[in-house]
Amino acid sequence: MAALAGLHDIDWSSLDQGSAVPRLLADLAGGEPKALRDLYRRAPDGEDVRPWVVTALPFLLDLVADPARPLRGETLRLVGDLAGADRTWQMAGRTLAAKRLLAEWDGLSDLLLDEDPSVREAAAYTLRAVYRLITNPTGDLWERFAEEPDAGVRLMLLRTSVITGAVGGGYELTKVWLASVADTDDDLRVRISALTELMALYNPVPFDAGRARETLLDAYREGLNREPEPVADMAAPLLTGARMATRQWTPGYHQVVKAVRATYRDDVDAHLGLLHEMLAIDAWDARQDALYEARSLVQRLRGPYRPLIDRAAELLSDRDAQVRAAALHLLQGVGELARPAADAVWETMSGAKPWTHQGALSPSVGILASLGDERVLPILERLLDDAPQTTGLHEAIAGYGVRARALGRTLRRLLRALPAAASPSPASAADAYRAALLDALIAVVPQEAADYLMQEPLDLTGLHRLIRTGRAAAARAAEIRTALTSEDPVVALTAARAIWCVTGDAEAAATVYDQYLTGPDHAVTAIDGLAELNSRAAGRAPLLNRLVKSRTSDEVRVAAARALWRITGNPGSARRLGPAWEATPRLRPRIARLWVETDMGAYATRYAKAELAVPTRYNVTNLGLSPAEISEDEQLLADCRKLITDKPRWPF
């Protein structure tokens, strides 16, 4: 055979694992597929190729160049894998020698015009190994892409041209070319691949959003975003080849979804329209991507999310586990908006399912506990007996307050079982566990927690615990009075609140608050403390009235207006908060709540209507919002609606 002339003139046995190569090359020339598999098995798994590869490449190329040979496409793909088509960064050692040999071969570019589509596709793939060693590979690929009739070959040409072109000065041109392909190509697979490749590049250029939207939805419907078949046994031993084979799978469309959504800006209806269409497609990937995208939408924009929540609730029973997990992920992140889905979440918690996952509360239990659903209280009680150190368990119990008082006995038993001596390390797991138990006990049965607080240090944490315990902690009143004179303003103000909650001594608390009413740093805390004293702080009303009318900070003026309402029952100061509403958006929830309490609908209507017309959440950040922050914004919207619809009691 002319293609293998001189094969036996080489001392193959002197090359590492090269003794069997002549036989395998002869078998491959005869069309034996098993020879390909065995050659792959002798290929390296590491970064550099073995010596036999460089010696065998000329024979492999001769087999590919002969149109009469079988397996030409597969053989050329083997050549690309051996020369490092999937290791484009590797330009040293024997791999570099193999790449140079391949680059000097004149027939590689001609194979892009071969009659066999499998050969043309393999040639487009193999060019990745040598593109750094030849001139203008990207331009040749683009020209060939425009003329290529086979869709599979065009897809390979596109992906290779991104690898060869998105470097140096060709980066921006490659982005423009990909956008053009995504907008104009007739083949769906090519368009969606161009979009995904474009979105993987930094700062993608503008594209036709309407065309991209339809391409995206059609790709989901056609199932183009599916995980590939397992890598063939022939290529599996070559780990780099296996990685390259999986690279042929489109790496997910979520970036395309984000890019299309970015063109909608603050149009929540357009965002929801896309997501609902994705959720209607009977494909796990479309539904999963839509659910994950929905969470970021809810965090940023206000909108009619009830249909979305209902759809997520339906998908909790989807046949695909990834879709179910994505639905739970959405419901976990939207706070009170998830309440309509509570029944569906409860239905997912059958007796056969665990209530914990990796030492923490399962998402379903966590969602219902965050909503205060009493159906999970028996589950929390069972976990408190069987797995008391479950992460998040004690915070969930504390969230129920006195509704979970039946768990107080178990909490006390667990506290008694702990060692009397505290760990020398304040950050130890044992101390954190004890603190979580104690905080839960204070929340559910505060009157029974006093005995466990007798030895607690009277730092800020200890004072806050005494505040929550209330009159049951009266035995520590003397120590609290000592803390009233602390030089640390935060400690002194916390102690003032504690002395009021524990003993009811309003005058002692007010005396501390008086010291900080006009200070720049702690005035709001002091004013809020006076508001808690109600009419017992009536003597401070003139000063508070002056603060409302002063040019001090908006935070102080809002706090003073609220305190005057609580202390005197006079709502007049609430009418002065319009400028603060306009100037300081983060105060709007507090101002809206005060306006609702004082029935200031006539005064506040124009502010409330303006707020309801704003599409973004008042507290939106680039980092996303927590469930509590989403709930806070939804409460602001509810208060604004109440201000508009309720009949005002006070004339404006």
Side-chain angles (χ1 to χ4, degrees), residues 53 85 168 204 442 464 473 505 523 549:
V53 171
I442 292 172
H464 281 296
D505 190 341
K549 298 176 182 179

Side-chain angles (χ1 to χ4, degrees), residues 48-65:
D48 204 2
V49 296
R50 295 191 174 97
W52 70 263
V53 171
V54 179
T55 307
L57 273 182
F59 300 103
L60 291 169
L61 292 173
D62 286 345
L63 293 177
V64 173

Side-chain angles (χ1 to χ4, degrees), residues 618-634:
Y618 89 94
N619 50 359
V620 67
T621 68
N622 291 332
L623 302 177
L625 300 182
S626 67
E629 290 170 322
I630 293 175
S631 298
E632 183 180 54
D633 185 66
E634 290 295 321

Side-chain angles (χ1 to χ4, degrees), residues 115-289:
E115 294 181 357
D116 187 344
S118 68
V119 174
R120 299 199 301 273
E121 184 175 358
Y125 170 77
T126 304
L127 271 172
R128 303 176 189 184
V130 299
Y131 79 93
R132 295 187 178 186
L133 303 175
I134 60 179
T135 304
N136 193 27
T138 306
D140 295 340
L141 290 169
W142 287 356
E143 290 181 9
R144 184 58 203 152
F145 177 86
E147 301 172 359
E148 175 59 49
D150 187 89
V153 179
R154 298 177 77 244
L155 197 59
M156 185 64 73
L157 288 166
L158 182 142
R159 288 170 172 161
T160 297
S161 65
V162 174
I163 294 174
T164 63
V167 292
Y171 198 84
E172 294 300 324
L173 288 176
T174 299
K175 291 191 292 186
V176 173
W177 180 74
L178 287 173
S180 174
V181 172
D183 291 345
T184 61
D185 201 89
D186 293 332
D187 187 84
L188 174 62
R189 188 181 294 271
V190 171
R191 290 202 310 277
I192 192 63
S193 297
L195 279 172
T196 54
E197 296 288 357
L198 176 62
M199 298 313 146
L201 300 179
Y202 175 74
N203 194 21
V205 298
F207 56 93
D208 186 335
R211 175 74 160 169
R213 183 183 188 276
E214 296 309 313
T215 296
L216 176 70
L217 294 174
D218 289 342
Y220 278 124
R221 294 187 185 102
E222 295 297 323
L224 302 185
N225 192 31
R226 297 296 188 269
E227 189 171 355
E229 295 296 325
V231 178
D233 178 64
M234 179 183 68
L238 182 62
L239 297 186
T240 49
R243 288 196 296 270
M244 200 62 231
T246 57
R247 174 65 178 82
Q248 303 313 310
W249 170 44
T250 303
Y253 297 158
H254 59 280
Q255 289 180 309
V256 181
V257 180
K258 289 181 181 296
V260 173
R261 283 188 54 223
T263 65
Y264 297 151
R265 299 183 181 275
D266 295 339
D267 187 351
V268 70
D269 292 331
H271 288 280
L272 286 173
L274 173 61
L275 297 183
H276 280 301
E277 281 205 57
M278 292 170 62
L279 290 172
I281 298 173
D282 186 16
W284 69 265
D285 50 349
R287 292 174 175 177
Q288 177 181 269
D289 289 349

Side-chain angles (χ1 to χ4, degrees), residues 61 94 170 263 312 350 354 391 482 492 582 601:
L61 292 173
R94 289 183 294 271
T263 65
S350 65
T391 302
T482 302
E582 297 281 7

